[in-house]
Amino acid sequence: QGQLLAKSWSSLFGGQSGAALRGPIHSFNGRDVLADPLWPHRLAWHGSTPRGGHARRGDCQGWRSSGTAEGMAAALGEGRLLAGHRHNCSAP
């Protein structure tokens, strides 16, 4: 049993910035991403435009650790999944 993040797929990604997220978000190993110090940046990497399309120069595809590429990611604390900003692909 989990918490409802959005009523539908389209409501999660629709509009200019998607749905406002509610409740905790857990990593695959059960950590609360919004509270755990292991997640200092609290970003959701998505590589999308605000309308959900592919951000061709913002998806970190082909990134290498020595590179300076930037990808689109949303700050989870803002509550908008696709309200992305460019972040260095090397950021954890």
Short mmCIF file of all heavy atoms in Angstrom, two decimals, residues 43-92:
data_model
loop_
_atom_site.label_atom_id
_atom_site.label_comp_id
_atom_site.label_asym_id
_atom_site.label_seq_id
_atom_site.Cartn_x
_atom_site.Cartn_y
_atom_site.Cartn_z
N LEU A 43 16.70 15.88 -6.28
CA LEU A 43 16.29 16.14 -7.65
C LEU A 43 15.65 14.91 -8.28
O LEU A 43 16.03 13.79 -7.97
CB LEU A 43 17.50 16.53 -8.51
CG LEU A 43 18.25 17.79 -8.12
CD1 LEU A 43 19.51 17.92 -8.94
CD2 LEU A 43 17.36 19.00 -8.30
N ALA A 44 14.72 15.15 -9.16
CA ALA A 44 14.17 14.09 -10.01
C ALA A 44 14.67 14.38 -11.42
O ALA A 44 14.26 15.35 -12.04
CB ALA A 44 12.64 14.11 -9.97
N TRP A 45 15.59 13.56 -11.91
CA TRP A 45 16.14 13.74 -13.24
C TRP A 45 15.13 13.22 -14.25
O TRP A 45 14.66 12.10 -14.14
CB TRP A 45 17.46 12.98 -13.37
CG TRP A 45 18.52 13.52 -12.48
CD1 TRP A 45 18.76 13.16 -11.20
CD2 TRP A 45 19.43 14.56 -12.79
NE1 TRP A 45 19.80 13.91 -10.69
CE2 TRP A 45 20.23 14.77 -11.65
CE3 TRP A 45 19.66 15.32 -13.94
CZ2 TRP A 45 21.23 15.71 -11.62
CZ3 TRP A 45 20.67 16.26 -13.89
CH2 TRP A 45 21.45 16.45 -12.75
N HIS A 46 14.78 14.03 -15.23
CA HIS A 46 13.76 13.58 -16.17
C HIS A 46 14.11 13.87 -17.64
O HIS A 46 13.59 13.21 -18.52
CB HIS A 46 12.39 14.18 -15.84
CG HIS A 46 12.39 15.67 -15.70
ND1 HIS A 46 12.52 16.52 -16.77
CD2 HIS A 46 12.30 16.44 -14.59
CE1 HIS A 46 12.47 17.77 -16.33
NE2 HIS A 46 12.35 17.74 -15.01
N GLY A 47 14.92 14.83 -17.95
CA GLY A 47 15.30 15.08 -19.33
C GLY A 47 14.15 15.49 -20.22
O GLY A 47 14.15 15.22 -21.41
N SER A 48 13.15 16.15 -19.64
CA SER A 48 11.95 16.54 -20.38
C SER A 48 11.75 18.04 -20.39
O SER A 48 12.24 18.76 -19.52
CB SER A 48 10.71 15.92 -19.74
OG SER A 48 10.77 14.53 -19.78
N THR A 49 10.99 18.49 -21.35
CA THR A 49 10.56 19.89 -21.37
C THR A 49 9.42 20.04 -20.36
O THR A 49 8.87 19.03 -19.90
CB THR A 49 10.03 20.26 -22.78
OG1 THR A 49 8.85 19.50 -23.04
CG2 THR A 49 11.09 20.01 -23.85
N PRO A 50 9.03 21.26 -20.02
CA PRO A 50 7.92 21.45 -19.08
C PRO A 50 6.59 20.83 -19.55
O PRO A 50 5.72 20.55 -18.74
CB PRO A 50 7.80 22.97 -18.96
CG PRO A 50 9.16 23.46 -19.26
CD PRO A 50 9.69 22.53 -20.32
N ARG A 51 6.47 20.56 -20.83
CA ARG A 51 5.24 19.95 -21.35
C ARG A 51 5.37 18.44 -21.53
O ARG A 51 4.48 17.80 -22.06
CB ARG A 51 4.85 20.62 -22.66
CG ARG A 51 4.67 22.13 -22.46
CD ARG A 51 4.06 22.75 -23.64
NE ARG A 51 2.65 22.94 -23.26
CZ ARG A 51 1.70 23.26 -24.08
NH1 ARG A 51 1.94 23.38 -25.35
NH2 ARG A 51 0.48 23.43 -23.64
N GLY A 52 6.50 17.88 -21.12
CA GLY A 52 6.67 16.44 -21.16
C GLY A 52 7.38 15.89 -22.39
O GLY A 52 7.56 14.69 -22.50
N GLY A 53 7.81 16.75 -23.30
CA GLY A 53 8.55 16.30 -24.47
C GLY A 53 10.01 16.05 -24.13
O GLY A 53 10.50 16.43 -23.07
N HIS A 54 10.71 15.43 -25.04
CA HIS A 54 12.13 15.14 -24.84
C HIS A 54 12.95 16.42 -24.98
O HIS A 54 12.90 17.09 -26.00
CB HIS A 54 12.57 14.11 -25.89
CG HIS A 54 14.01 13.75 -25.78
ND1 HIS A 54 14.80 13.56 -26.88
CD2 HIS A 54 14.81 13.54 -24.72
CE1 HIS A 54 16.02 13.25 -26.50
NE2 HIS A 54 16.05 13.24 -25.19
N ALA A 55 13.71 16.76 -23.96
CA ALA A 55 14.62 17.90 -24.00
C ALA A 55 15.93 17.41 -24.59
O ALA A 55 16.78 16.88 -23.90
CB ALA A 55 14.83 18.47 -22.60
N ARG A 56 16.07 17.55 -25.89
CA ARG A 56 17.20 16.96 -26.61
C ARG A 56 18.56 17.33 -26.05
O ARG A 56 19.48 16.54 -26.07
CB ARG A 56 17.13 17.33 -28.08
CG ARG A 56 15.93 16.75 -28.76
CD ARG A 56 15.98 16.99 -30.26
NE ARG A 56 14.72 16.63 -30.86
CZ ARG A 56 14.43 15.42 -31.30
NH1 ARG A 56 15.31 14.47 -31.18
NH2 ARG A 56 13.26 15.15 -31.83
N ARG A 57 18.71 18.50 -25.56
CA ARG A 57 20.00 18.91 -24.99
C ARG A 57 19.95 18.96 -23.48
O ARG A 57 20.73 19.66 -22.86
CB ARG A 57 20.40 20.27 -25.55
CG ARG A 57 20.68 20.21 -27.02
CD ARG A 57 21.20 21.51 -27.54
NE ARG A 57 21.47 21.40 -28.96
CZ ARG A 57 21.60 22.40 -29.76
NH1 ARG A 57 21.50 23.63 -29.29
NH2 ARG A 57 21.83 22.21 -31.03
N GLY A 58 19.05 18.19 -22.89
CA GLY A 58 18.93 18.22 -21.44
C GLY A 58 18.60 16.88 -20.84
O GLY A 58 17.90 16.79 -19.84
N ASP A 59 19.12 15.79 -21.45
CA ASP A 59 18.77 14.48 -20.92
C ASP A 59 19.95 13.68 -20.39
O ASP A 59 19.80 12.55 -19.98
CB ASP A 59 18.02 13.66 -21.97
CG ASP A 59 18.86 13.34 -23.19
OD1 ASP A 59 20.05 13.70 -23.24
OD2 ASP A 59 18.30 12.70 -24.10
N CYS A 60 21.14 14.23 -20.39
CA CYS A 60 22.37 13.58 -19.90
C CYS A 60 22.70 12.30 -20.66
O CYS A 60 23.55 11.53 -20.24
CB CYS A 60 22.30 13.28 -18.40
SG CYS A 60 22.30 14.75 -17.37
N GLN A 61 22.04 12.07 -21.79
CA GLN A 61 22.36 10.90 -22.59
C GLN A 61 23.79 11.04 -23.11
O GLN A 61 24.18 12.08 -23.62
CB GLN A 61 21.39 10.76 -23.75
CG GLN A 61 21.62 9.51 -24.57
CD GLN A 61 20.55 9.32 -25.63
OE1 GLN A 61 19.52 9.98 -25.60
NE2 GLN A 61 20.79 8.43 -26.54
N GLY A 62 24.56 10.00 -22.99
CA GLY A 62 25.94 10.04 -23.44
C GLY A 62 26.87 10.72 -22.46
O GLY A 62 28.05 10.91 -22.75
N TRP A 63 26.38 11.08 -21.28
CA TRP A 63 27.21 11.75 -20.27
C TRP A 63 28.36 10.86 -19.83
O TRP A 63 28.22 9.65 -19.71
CB TRP A 63 26.34 12.13 -19.07
CG TRP A 63 27.13 12.53 -17.87
CD1 TRP A 63 27.65 13.76 -17.62
CD2 TRP A 63 27.50 11.70 -16.77
NE1 TRP A 63 28.32 13.74 -16.42
CE2 TRP A 63 28.25 12.49 -15.87
CE3 TRP A 63 27.28 10.37 -16.45
CZ2 TRP A 63 28.76 12.00 -14.69
CZ3 TRP A 63 27.80 9.87 -15.27
CH2 TRP A 63 28.52 10.69 -14.41
N ARG A 64 29.49 11.46 -19.59
CA ARG A 64 30.65 10.78 -19.02
C ARG A 64 31.09 11.58 -17.80
O ARG A 64 30.91 12.80 -17.75
CB ARG A 64 31.80 10.70 -20.03
CG ARG A 64 31.46 9.96 -21.31
CD ARG A 64 31.26 8.48 -21.03
NE ARG A 64 30.99 7.72 -22.23
CZ ARG A 64 29.77 7.43 -22.69
NH1 ARG A 64 28.71 7.86 -22.06
NH2 ARG A 64 29.62 6.72 -23.78
N SER A 65 31.68 10.91 -16.83
CA SER A 65 32.03 11.58 -15.57
C SER A 65 32.98 12.75 -15.76
O SER A 65 33.01 13.65 -14.94
CB SER A 65 32.62 10.57 -14.58
OG SER A 65 33.80 10.00 -15.11
N SER A 66 33.74 12.76 -16.83
CA SER A 66 34.67 13.87 -17.06
C SER A 66 34.01 15.01 -17.83
O SER A 66 34.63 16.04 -18.05
CB SER A 66 35.89 13.37 -17.83
OG SER A 66 35.48 12.86 -19.09
N GLY A 67 32.75 14.85 -18.22
CA GLY A 67 32.08 15.85 -19.03
C GLY A 67 31.42 16.95 -18.22
O GLY A 67 31.36 16.90 -17.00
N THR A 68 30.95 17.96 -18.94
CA THR A 68 30.28 19.09 -18.30
C THR A 68 28.84 19.21 -18.78
O THR A 68 28.26 20.28 -18.72
CB THR A 68 31.04 20.40 -18.61
OG1 THR A 68 31.09 20.58 -20.02
CG2 THR A 68 32.44 20.38 -18.02
N ALA A 69 28.26 18.11 -19.25
CA ALA A 69 26.89 18.14 -19.76
C ALA A 69 25.90 18.52 -18.67
O ALA A 69 26.13 18.31 -17.48
CB ALA A 69 26.53 16.77 -20.33
N GLU A 70 24.79 19.10 -19.12
CA GLU A 70 23.71 19.47 -18.20
C GLU A 70 22.44 18.75 -18.61
O GLU A 70 22.19 18.53 -19.79
CB GLU A 70 23.48 20.97 -18.20
CG GLU A 70 24.61 21.76 -17.59
CD GLU A 70 24.29 23.24 -17.53
OE1 GLU A 70 23.68 23.76 -18.47
OE2 GLU A 70 24.66 23.85 -16.53
N GLY A 71 21.65 18.39 -17.62
CA GLY A 71 20.38 17.72 -17.87
C GLY A 71 19.26 18.40 -17.10
O GLY A 71 19.51 19.14 -16.15
N MET A 72 18.05 18.12 -17.52
CA MET A 72 16.88 18.70 -16.85
C MET A 72 16.49 17.87 -15.64
O MET A 72 16.37 16.64 -15.73
CB MET A 72 15.71 18.78 -17.82
CG MET A 72 15.99 19.67 -19.04
SD MET A 72 16.43 21.35 -18.62
CE MET A 72 14.86 21.97 -18.05
N ALA A 73 16.31 18.54 -14.52
CA ALA A 73 15.90 17.89 -13.29
C ALA A 73 15.00 18.84 -12.51
O ALA A 73 15.15 20.06 -12.61
CB ALA A 73 17.11 17.51 -12.45
N ALA A 74 14.07 18.27 -11.77
CA ALA A 74 13.16 19.08 -10.96
C ALA A 74 13.52 18.92 -9.49
O ALA A 74 13.80 17.80 -9.04
CB ALA A 74 11.72 18.64 -11.19
N ALA A 75 13.50 20.01 -8.76
CA ALA A 75 13.69 19.95 -7.32
C ALA A 75 12.42 19.38 -6.70
O ALA A 75 11.34 19.93 -6.88
CB ALA A 75 13.98 21.34 -6.78
N LEU A 76 12.55 18.25 -6.02
CA LEU A 76 11.37 17.58 -5.47
C LEU A 76 10.64 18.44 -4.44
O LEU A 76 9.44 18.33 -4.30
CB LEU A 76 11.77 16.24 -4.88
CG LEU A 76 12.22 15.22 -5.91
CD1 LEU A 76 12.80 13.99 -5.22
CD2 LEU A 76 11.08 14.84 -6.83
N GLY A 77 11.35 19.29 -3.73
CA GLY A 77 10.73 20.16 -2.74
C GLY A 77 9.79 21.19 -3.35
O GLY A 77 8.92 21.73 -2.67
N GLU A 78 9.94 21.48 -4.65
CA GLU A 78 9.07 22.44 -5.31
C GLU A 78 7.69 21.84 -5.58
O GLU A 78 6.72 22.55 -5.78
CB GLU A 78 9.67 22.89 -6.65
CG GLU A 78 10.88 23.77 -6.49
CD GLU A 78 11.47 24.17 -7.84
OE1 GLU A 78 10.91 23.81 -8.89
OE2 GLU A 78 12.51 24.84 -7.82
N GLY A 79 7.61 20.51 -5.63
CA GLY A 79 6.33 19.85 -5.83
C GLY A 79 5.84 19.80 -7.26
O GLY A 79 4.70 19.45 -7.52
N ARG A 80 6.65 20.16 -8.22
CA ARG A 80 6.27 20.12 -9.64
C ARG A 80 7.24 19.22 -10.38
O ARG A 80 8.41 19.56 -10.53
CB ARG A 80 6.26 21.51 -10.25
CG ARG A 80 5.22 22.43 -9.67
CD ARG A 80 3.85 21.97 -10.10
NE ARG A 80 2.83 22.87 -9.58
CZ ARG A 80 1.57 22.71 -9.84
NH1 ARG A 80 1.15 21.71 -10.58
NH2 ARG A 80 0.70 23.54 -9.35
N LEU A 81 6.78 18.10 -10.87
CA LEU A 81 7.65 17.09 -11.44
C LEU A 81 8.40 17.55 -12.68
O LEU A 81 9.57 17.25 -12.86
CB LEU A 81 6.85 15.83 -11.75
CG LEU A 81 7.66 14.60 -12.12
CD1 LEU A 81 8.64 14.24 -11.02
CD2 LEU A 81 6.74 13.44 -12.41
N LEU A 82 7.77 18.29 -13.56
CA LEU A 82 8.44 18.70 -14.79
C LEU A 82 8.90 20.15 -14.78
O LEU A 82 9.29 20.68 -15.81
CB LEU A 82 7.52 18.44 -16.00
CG LEU A 82 7.21 16.97 -16.27
CD1 LEU A 82 6.32 16.84 -17.50
CD2 LEU A 82 8.47 16.16 -16.45
N ALA A 83 8.87 20.80 -13.65
CA ALA A 83 9.37 22.18 -13.55
C ALA A 83 10.89 22.10 -13.45
O ALA A 83 11.47 22.36 -12.42
CB ALA A 83 8.78 22.88 -12.33
N GLY A 84 11.50 21.72 -14.54
CA GLY A 84 12.92 21.44 -14.52
C GLY A 84 13.82 22.64 -14.69
O GLY A 84 13.43 23.67 -15.23
N HIS A 85 15.02 22.45 -14.23
CA HIS A 85 16.10 23.41 -14.39
C HIS A 85 17.32 22.61 -14.81
O HIS A 85 17.43 21.42 -14.53
CB HIS A 85 16.38 24.14 -13.08
CG HIS A 85 15.20 24.86 -12.53
ND1 HIS A 85 14.74 26.06 -13.04
CD2 HIS A 85 14.33 24.53 -11.55
CE1 HIS A 85 13.67 26.44 -12.37
NE2 HIS A 85 13.39 25.53 -11.47
N ARG A 86 18.24 23.26 -15.47
CA ARG A 86 19.46 22.57 -15.89
C ARG A 86 20.37 22.35 -14.69
O ARG A 86 20.59 23.24 -13.89
CB ARG A 86 20.18 23.37 -16.96
CG ARG A 86 19.44 23.40 -18.26
CD ARG A 86 20.32 24.00 -19.37
NE ARG A 86 19.66 23.92 -20.63
CZ ARG A 86 19.62 22.84 -21.41
NH1 ARG A 86 20.24 21.76 -21.01
NH2 ARG A 86 18.99 22.83 -22.55
N HIS A 87 20.87 21.13 -14.58
CA HIS A 87 21.82 20.76 -13.54
C HIS A 87 22.95 19.97 -14.18
O HIS A 87 22.72 19.23 -15.14
CB HIS A 87 21.15 19.89 -12.47
CG HIS A 87 20.13 20.62 -11.67
ND1 HIS A 87 20.44 21.36 -10.56
CD2 HIS A 87 18.79 20.74 -11.84
CE1 HIS A 87 19.33 21.90 -10.07
NE2 HIS A 87 18.32 21.54 -10.85
N ASN A 88 24.13 20.10 -13.64
CA ASN A 88 25.26 19.36 -14.16
C ASN A 88 24.98 17.87 -14.02
O ASN A 88 24.57 17.41 -12.96
CB ASN A 88 26.53 19.75 -13.40
CG ASN A 88 27.75 19.13 -14.01
OD1 ASN A 88 27.91 17.92 -14.03
ND2 ASN A 88 28.64 19.98 -14.52
N CYS A 89 25.22 17.12 -15.07
CA CYS A 89 24.94 15.67 -15.07
C CYS A 89 25.82 14.93 -14.07
O CYS A 89 25.54 13.78 -13.73
CB CYS A 89 25.13 15.09 -16.46
SG CYS A 89 23.93 15.70 -17.66
N SER A 90 26.88 15.55 -13.57
CA SER A 90 27.74 14.93 -12.58
C SER A 90 27.18 15.01 -11.17
O SER A 90 27.69 14.35 -10.27
CB SER A 90 29.12 15.59 -12.59
OG SER A 90 29.75 15.37 -13.83
N ALA A 91 26.16 15.82 -10.95
CA ALA A 91 25.59 15.98 -9.61
C ALA A 91 24.94 14.68 -9.16
O ALA A 91 24.26 14.02 -9.95
CB ALA A 91 24.56 17.11 -9.59
N PRO A 92 25.15 14.28 -7.93
CA PRO A 92 24.54 13.03 -7.42
C PRO A 92 23.03 13.17 -7.24
O PRO A 92 22.53 14.25 -7.05
CB PRO A 92 25.23 12.81 -6.09
CG PRO A 92 25.73 14.14 -5.66
CD PRO A 92 25.97 14.93 -6.92
#
